[in-house]
Amino acid sequence: AQTVTQSQPEMSVQEAETVTLSCTYDTSESDYYLFWYKQPPSRQMILVIRQEAYKQQNATENRFSVNFQKAAKSFSLKISDSQLGDAAMYFCAYRAFFNSGNTPLVFGKGTRLSVIA
Amino acid sequence: DAGVIQSPRHEVTEMGQEVTLRCKPISGHDYLFWYRQTMMRGLELLIYFNNNVPIDDSGMPEDRFSAKMPNASFSTLKIQPSEPRDSAVYFCASTRSGGDNEQFFGPGTRLTVL
């Protein structure tokens, strides 16, 4: 079974600084998807960024970017120019590839990010 | 589109009572997932459906839990009888077929069993 590990239960960052959240995963598959979700106090799950395993180029969404190391099974999230609104729980998630359908997400335990003004 | 709708948003009940959580997926989505979030276990899959048919219910903790999807626009997750350890946030998510389609989450139901 696939597993996702987030080794940092809590992180903090100064406003306007950069922070990197770590994630490793375990799978025997070659095709899959990886995601970072944000969960603010409202508890709504918000997709931040996603990466297809077959793509070598790291995904970027505005201030959010990933460092995807397929061989190392590592998928870290970098948040640049941190803002107060970035404070939340961040979950790394894995999803198996299924061309004609869809599959469940497997989540890490999360990293709570605090942003200090 | 209204997004995934869950009801109730909060539920407080006493041990032994029956609890029913409801989910309305986004129109046109043919996959529906139920996830549970607890402090101890994090976010975990309970069950998911494709075209109203349960595909994998291996995450359902025990026989006290049951889920149904009678049609494409409605699903229920029932706990009978409820126990304090069932206290959690229950999320419903939906998506379309196709490997790269995003799962859209509902707001969740916070269940407290006293």
Side-chain angles (χ1 to χ4, degrees), chain A residues 39 43 50 95 101 103 105, chain B residues 9 35 37 98-100 103 107:
Chain A
Q39 187 180 42
R43 77 169 178 254
R50 77 174 188 186
R95 183 159 68 77
T103 53
L105 291 160
Chain B
R9 293 292 307 275
Y35 296 94
Q37 183 178 24
D100 62 349
Q103 291 185 19

Side-chain angles (χ1 to χ4, degrees), chain A residues 3-17:
Chain A
T3 57
V4 177
T5 302
Q6 294 179 248
S7 58
Q8 306 153 316
E10 296 184 353
M11 293 280 286
S12 63
V13 62
Q14 290 285 141
E15 197 175 5
E17 295 297 308

Side-chain angles (χ1 to χ4, degrees), chain A residues 33 37 39 42-45 47 50 52 91 95-105 107-109, chain B residues 9 31 33 35 37 40-41 43 45 48 89 91 95-103 105-108 110:
Chain A
Y33 300 92
Y37 280 86
Q39 187 180 42
S42 68
R43 77 169 178 254
Q44 181 68 46
M45 295 292 287
L47 178 63
R50 77 174 188 186
E52 291 87 350
F91 292 95
R95 183 159 68 77
F97 175 80
F98 182 26
N99 189 42
S100 62
N102 214 290
T103 53
L105 291 160
F107 290 93
K109 290 292 179 67
Chain B
R9 293 292 307 275
Y31 277 84
F33 303 83
Y35 296 94
Q37 183 178 24
M40 290 295 294
R41 300 175 64 90
L43 276 154
L45 175 76
Y48 77 101
V89 178
F91 287 99
T95 189
R96 288 190 179 91
S97 292
D100 62 349
N101 283 319
E102 177 185 347
Q103 291 185 19
F105 283 77
R110 177 175 293 280

Side-chain angles (χ1 to χ4, degrees), chain B residues 26-87:
Chain B
I26 293 172
S27 178
H29 284 187
D30 55 343
Y31 277 84
L32 185 141
F33 303 83
W34 284 100
Y35 296 94
R36 180 173 68 175
Q37 183 178 24
T38 62
M39 289 293 292
M40 290 295 294
R41 300 175 64 90
L43 276 154
E44 55 183 350
L45 175 76
L46 296 178
I47 186 172
Y48 77 101
F49 296 84
N50 178 218
N51 290 323
N52 315 333
V53 175
I55 304 301
D56 183 357
D57 66 354
S58 60
M60 296 286 263
E62 44 197 277
D63 291 345
R64 298 185 297 105
F65 285 69
S66 63
K68 294 181 180 180
M69 192 164 186
N71 57 62
S73 59
F74 184 65
S75 177
T76 60
L77 178 67
K78 185 176 293 186
I79 309 172
Q80 167 64 19
S82 58
E83 296 183 1
R85 60 192 168 125
D86 301 330
S87 298

